[in-house]
Amino acid sequence: AEIESLCVTAQARGAGLGSLLLERVDTELAAAGIDDVIIGALNGNDDAIRLYQRRGFRPAMTYLTRLAGRTRPDRA
C-alpha cells in the first residue's frame, strides 16, 4: 500500500490524531492482507517523519521534484 497524504491540522497536532489515523490504516490494511506500506513525507516535515519512524517506517527512497515557478537553488 502507498499512503500519499496524511494530514492533521496545526491546531490538532500533538493530540495523538496522527497515531490514531495510522493505527486505523494499519488495521484496514491488515484486514486486507496487506503488510508492506510506503508513506511519503516532505523534507523538513520533521514531526511527521518522527511519527512515521516511531511506527516502524524507515527511509527507503528519495523523490526529486522540479516545480514550475520556483527558483532553482543554483540560480538566483
Side-chain angles (χ1 to χ4, degrees):
E2 183 172 351
I3 302 170
E4 183 65 30
S5 180
L6 179 76
C7 298
V8 174
T9 63
Q11 302 92 319
R13 290 186 187 138
L17 293 176
S19 292
L20 289 172
L21 287 169
L22 286 174
E23 282 180 31
R24 181 60 186 259
V25 167
D26 284 343
T27 299
E28 295 294 323
L29 292 175
I34 299 169
D35 298 318
D36 298 331
V37 183
I38 296 170
I39 192 164
L42 294 173
N43 286 334
N45 191 347
D46 298 331
D47 291 338
I49 292 168
R50 277 192 297 276
L51 169 63
Y52 302 150
Q53 289 177 331
R54 283 194 309 267
R55 300 204 45 93
F57 290 90
R58 297 292 174 254
M61 64 183 78
T62 299
Y63 287 91
L64 303 174
T65 60
R66 181 176 61 209
L67 303 172
R70 299 211 181 156
T71 305
R72 288 179 32 185
D74 60 342
R75 294 188 184 171

